[in-house]
Amino acid sequence: MIELIFPKRHTALSLNSAFFGFFAHTGFVRGLQEIGFKPSIITGCSSGALVGALYASGADMREVERMILGLKKGDFWEGNFFHQVQKLFRHGLKDYSGVLTGKATRALLNPFLGVKTFKDLPIKLGLAVSNLTLGKRELIQEGIVIDAVMASIAFPILYEIQKKNGQEYLDGGIADPEPIKELILDPAIDRIIIHAIDNSKPSHSNLLKRAFDASVRIIESETSELKELLAASRGKTLLRITTKTPYLSPSNFKEGAFAMAEAKGSAYLHASAILGKTLPFSLF
């Protein structure tokens, strides 16, 4: 009866899309665990989908941390230059869609996720993907978790287009690097913790590439503002915590440990607001 009068409210966690941001997201999640925070639901996109799925699965995040800190390019990279040339000739330009098939990445995740479905997870999970067949962004919440992770992390050209049930998928960050729309619309959720990563991507010397990067940032800024307006209209509290990290690339993980430590520090720095003991410095 009390719950009917005072319905239980939930806090959600969303981990954004960031190029090789799994170091920072892992550090942030470890920090959340250490300060005693556990979300009712997690959403993630790209690297955020990878870490969010591992967290929601109940995996020992200390083991995840050790795996990621020990990661080398050869652990997920498939073949060498000559292998890629052979692959290009074998498939042809028409069917060549990326450098990596994702098989090596699946092998890294398999000990943690195996064949778990979304229904098996102790924490509710939603992973954002770009459905190329339907031409829209989706939040996957059912099926085999590792399949959804692979679809969400399939960064264009780096990974092949992922195919499942006759449909084609790429990185969820193409359409929505911060998947919180469904969280805002869910009446049971009143607080949303967002971990965003500023990975200090260097400005490109090529004008067209620089213009493309700027265009992406403008779109992200506009959609973030619209989500903030929607959240405010529904009385939701958004706490966006941004961790600034060095730029990481497939060939350079030497700053990964630093990124992880910085993100863990972000969780501690904002612990009171995350735990709902104080109002956040800024709701948006």
Side-chain angles (χ1 to χ4, degrees):
M1 179 66 70
I2 293 177
E3 192 167 325
L4 291 176
I5 299 174
F6 301 103
K8 186 177 180 180
R9 297 299 179 184
H10 299 277
T11 299
L13 170 67
S14 186
L15 305 176
N16 83 334
S17 168
F19 195 61
F20 287 88
F22 42 79
F23 285 96
H25 282 317
T26 299
F28 188 72
V29 166
R30 290 284 290 119
L32 293 180
Q33 291 180 320
E34 291 176 7
I35 67 173
F37 172 79
K38 183 177 180 180
S40 298
I41 180 173
I42 300 169
T43 64
C45 182
S46 196
S47 60
L50 188 154
V51 176
L54 292 169
Y55 182 21
S57 74
D60 186 336
M61 293 306 293
R62 292 169 298 183
E63 289 296 323
V64 172
E65 182 178 307
R66 282 191 282 271
M67 182 270 287
I68 288 179
L69 285 175
L71 198 61
K72 301 180 295 295
K73 183 178 179 180
D75 295 329
F76 62 91
W77 207 260
E78 301 161 7
N80 53 28
F81 173 78
F82 297 103
H83 170 83
Q84 294 301 324
V85 171
Q86 290 174 355
K87 179 180 174 183
L88 178 60
F89 277 106
R90 187 168 61 249
H91 293 292
L93 284 173
K94 181 181 177 182
D95 295 318
Y96 183 89
S97 62
V99 175
L100 307 177
T101 65
K103 291 179 181 178
T105 305
R106 279 179 178 269
L108 287 170
L109 298 177
N110 191 62
F112 302 100
L113 298 177
V115 293
K116 290 182 179 179
T117 68
F118 282 78
K119 291 181 180 178
D120 298 327
L121 306 182
I123 303 177
K124 191 175 179 181
L125 176 70
L127 302 181
V129 299
S130 297
N131 187 321
L132 304 183
T133 304
L134 300 179
K136 67 177 186 178
R137 170 269 206 199
E138 291 181 348
L139 192 72
I140 298 180
Q141 296 179 279
E142 59 183 22
I144 303 296
V145 176
I146 198 168
D147 290 343
V149 171
M150 293 307 304
S152 189
I153 69 172
F155 190 79
I157 307 301
L158 180 61
Y159 281 95
E160 290 181 356
I161 292 172
Q162 302 294 300
K163 299 179 181 180
K164 181 174 173 57
N165 298 328
Q167 298 187 343
E168 298 174 331
Y169 299 93
L170 274 179
D171 194 315
I174 295 172
D176 184 12
E178 188 180 87
I180 62 172
K181 180 182 69 177
E182 288 82 359
L183 303 177
I184 295 172
L185 297 176
D186 187 338
I189 295 171
D190 63 347
R191 300 176 65 246
I192 303 169
I193 311 298
I194 304 162
H195 185 231
I197 298 173
D198 177 358
N199 62 8
S200 308
K201 183 177 181 179
S203 180
H204 207 283
S205 58
N206 181 277
L207 178 59
L208 286 177
K209 291 182 179 179
R210 192 164 67 246
F212 176 79
D213 288 343
S215 298
V216 171
R217 289 196 300 272
I218 291 168
I219 293 171
E220 289 179 2
S221 174
E222 185 69 10
T223 55
S224 290
E225 288 183 17
L226 291 174
K227 289 173 188 173
E228 290 164 2
L229 291 171
L230 179 60
S233 71
R234 290 177 174 261
K236 304 296 177 80
T237 298
L238 300 185
L239 174 57
R240 184 179 286 107
I241 297 171
T242 301
T243 299
K244 188 174 180 62
T245 73
Y247 185 69
L248 302 173
S249 71
S251 301
N252 181 16
F253 286 163
K254 65 180 182 180
E255 300 283 3
F258 177 78
M260 190 177 287
E262 285 292 292
K264 183 182 287 189
S266 292
Y268 273 92
L269 180 64
H270 298 280
S272 293
I274 291 170
L275 297 173
K277 295 179 180 180
T278 63
L279 287 175
F281 300 118
S282 173
L283 298 185
F284 308 123

